[in-house]
Amino acid sequence: MYSSIVRLQNAFGFFTTVAFVVAAFIAASDLLSPRTPSVGVLKTTNVQVVRGRPHYYSHKKEEYAIIKFSLDADLSSLFTWNTKQLFVYVTAEWPSAGGSGSGQNATNQAVIWDSIITSPSADHLANLGPIAMKKLKRSAQGKSIDPSRGKLSIKNQRPKYQITHPTGKLAEQDNVVLRLHYNVQPWVGILTWNQDVDFWKWKTFKNNLSKKFALPALKKKDEKKAR
Amino acid sequence: MLSSLGNPRQAAAQLMNFGLILSSAFMMWKGLSVITDSPSPIVVVLSGSMEPAFQRGDLLLLWNRNLMAETNVGEIVVYNVKGKDIPIVHRIVRKFGTGPDAKLLTKGDNNAADDTELYARGQDYLNRKDIVGSVVGYMPFVGYVTIMLSEHPWLKTVMLGIMGLVVVLQRE
């Protein structure tokens, strides 16, 4: 009746059941920790539109925008024991010609800057050089959760990505707006993004929009740069 | 031990049992497919291009319906490129336009450049229909078994052998 194979099967079955139940509890525990992210400042500091090749593989010259910005935000409540990393990103949004409004109705959206903030328990997974890695690990020595990493204060940041448009035209575009987003990556469970409505203990991400601004006219400086 | 082989009724019952397990697994997979509207609702991460969020072997649950909102910038999607049969898991970083014709550009968090070079020849952007689903759930490491099986094919033979042996030797 109870051969060793049956015992082995039962042990393995019980192990997987327990593992899945524990994982489900960990995932559900996310709901119990309040999320109260807030934004102090999100504003542009310098905007330029240049005509050129934004990437080495661009096959044609096009207009691209370089949007420098300042950011002040407190995302520390997003770091819990089930947070593996926080992906923070800033998008620029603008309506198409003939379109209307901004925000969720924006028809063009492009990430201009992003940042991966690992939880100290996930530091070893980050893609960093040995010196940066050492520094990162030392910054939270002995801690497995470090909410202070969620406090962002960035001044006059250069964008990581120069934004373009399929038409190749961007200069003198009106009604552009910057928006801050986040994505919480758990160790196990559901991926979550910033919300527009309150969900029990998770609060809406407010003030994450900059003022509307217009992209300036084309800057005539790279004529001599072009081969 | 092999007494069941002598009893045709018991052998048939075991065959049925085995068939039942296989068909219910298939039904669950297809059922999930219908619920999520995705041809492949669960995928295993094969590359490190989304590290540190996803490692090789992690299991992702996909969702392919746009009930509340459109597929937007910041979502992590799985997409197929024409002529390449390996699905790619990357994040949407640009979106131009709305609806099914919106132009989408993706990028791996761990990659320096966007995915333009991964797309088909002459393709600069993805459309909504190229996307198999957006990642909504995450389970680490569980999918590593399938990576092992596809990289070491002899393991498949071993596993099938063990399974067959268990079915034959098992007594109800």
Side-chain angles (χ1 to χ4, degrees):
Chain A
M1 208 58 167
Y2 288 101
S3 68
S4 41
I5 288 170
V6 172
R7 283 178 184 219
L8 208 69
Q9 254 181 343
N10 288 345
F12 183 72
F14 188 62
F15 166 75
T16 47
T17 313
V18 170
F20 272 84
V21 169
V22 170
F25 271 112
I26 294 172
S29 74
D30 278 355
L31 289 168
L32 299 176
S33 45
R35 290 183 176 180
T36 53
S38 65
V39 185
V41 181
L42 176 60
K43 62 170 195 235
T44 57
T45 52
N46 184 3
V47 187
Q48 286 181 19
V49 179
V50 181
R51 189 173 152 80
R53 293 171 208 273
H55 315 286
Y56 66 92
Y57 52 81
S58 306
H59 40 77
K60 64 174 197 293
K61 279 192 162 188
E62 53 190 332
E63 294 175 6
Y64 60 89
I66 306 164
I67 303 171
K68 287 191 179 181
F69 65 96
S70 287
L71 168 66
D72 214 350
D74 183 359
L75 307 176
S76 47
S77 62
L78 303 174
F79 285 89
T80 66
W81 71 319
N82 192 25
T83 306
K84 187 178 185 185
Q85 72 161 39
L86 189 66
F87 187 79
V88 183
Y89 55 108
V90 174
T91 57
E93 303 175 4
W94 67 98
S96 278
S100 64
S102 69
Q104 291 308 83
N105 298 321
T107 50
N108 299 293
Q109 219 180 354
V111 175
I112 62 165
W113 177 84
D114 59 28
S115 176
I116 297 170
I117 307 173
T118 49
S119 189
S121 49
D123 278 351
H124 61 285
L125 300 168
N127 180 21
L128 293 172
I131 295 163
M133 176 63 86
K134 214 179 226 173
K135 209 175 150 197
L136 180 67
K137 283 192 171 166
R138 195 171 299 151
S139 74
Q141 215 156 30
K143 284 188 264 188
S144 60
I145 306 165
D146 186 6
S148 68
R149 285 187 183 179
K151 291 203 167 73
L152 302 176
S153 185
I154 297 160
K155 299 266 179 303
N156 202 20
Q157 170 69 42
R158 271 188 69 83
K160 271 170 92 172
Y161 313 107
Q162 293 148 345
I163 54 170
T164 56
H165 191 268
T167 59
K169 295 260 174 287
L170 265 182
E172 291 164 52
Q173 171 69 51
D174 286 331
N175 292 325
V176 188
V177 73
L178 294 186
R179 186 189 290 267
L180 179 68
H181 312 247
Y182 62 81
N183 167 218
V184 182
Q185 168 69 37
W187 279 107
V188 62
I190 306 294
L191 277 76
T192 42
W193 278 261
N194 47 303
Q195 309 139 228
D196 294 328
V197 284
D198 282 357
F199 180 69
W200 199 33
K201 291 188 170 184
W202 295 357
K203 297 299 175 220
T204 313
F205 200 31
K206 285 189 196 111
N207 280 328
N208 61 333
L209 276 176
S210 75
K211 280 204 196 84
K212 279 184 184 172
F213 59 97
L215 297 178
L218 206 57
K219 203 177 174 191
K220 301 271 188 202
K221 67 141 195 186
D222 66 326
E223 243 125 48
K224 61 174 188 281
K225 213 171 71 182
R227 81 189 65 188
Chain B
M1 277 283 255
L2 293 171
S3 60
S4 64
L5 287 184
N7 186 341
R9 185 181 286 271
Q10 210 174 349
Q14 270 170 6
L15 203 69
M16 286 285 283
N17 203 12
F18 192 61
L20 192 73
I21 292 167
L22 279 185
S23 55
S24 46
F26 184 71
M27 268 165 64
M28 270 160 75
W29 172 256
K30 283 295 167 191
L32 201 62
S33 215
V34 168
I35 294 168
T36 59
D37 193 25
S38 172
S40 158
I42 293 174
V43 295
V44 176
V45 178
L46 296 174
S47 83
S49 61
M50 281 300 282
E51 277 178 3
F54 305 149
Q55 276 73 45
R56 262 164 68 81
D58 292 348
L59 215 62
L60 306 176
L61 175 67
L62 305 187
W63 181 256
N64 198 28
R65 289 183 192 275
N66 292 122
L67 294 180
M68 310 278 272
E70 274 190 27
T71 307
N72 259 320
V73 167
E75 284 183 38
I76 306 168
V77 296
V78 178
Y79 66 89
N80 282 313
V81 174
K82 272 165 249 141
K84 298 182 185 175
D85 51 353
I86 296 174
I88 300 172
V89 188
H90 279 176
R91 195 184 297 269
I92 300 182
V93 293
R94 285 181 200 185
K95 180 180 179 190
F96 302 113
T98 46
D101 295 327
K103 294 183 161 83
L104 305 168
L105 181 70
T106 52
K107 175 183 168 292
D109 288 357
N110 200 19
N111 294 350
D114 59 49
D115 289 354
T116 314
E117 299 199 331
L118 292 179
Y119 299 160
R121 205 170 249 277
Q123 184 184 18
D124 287 332
Y125 295 99
L126 296 177
N127 288 124
R128 180 66 182 84
K129 64 169 175 16
D130 298 320
I131 290 172
V132 181
S134 302
V135 179
V136 289
Y138 172 80
M139 185 92 181
F141 200 68
V142 180
Y144 211 86
V145 188
T146 61
I147 291 187
M148 292 289 281
L149 287 181
S150 61
E151 280 179 4
H152 309 283
W154 57 270
L155 276 175
K156 274 186 207 168
T157 325
V158 172
M159 216 162 107
L160 272 178
I162 291 173
M163 267 159 70
L165 217 65
V166 167
V167 170
V168 170
L169 296 183
Q170 195 178 25
R171 280 179 289 177
E172 291 296 308

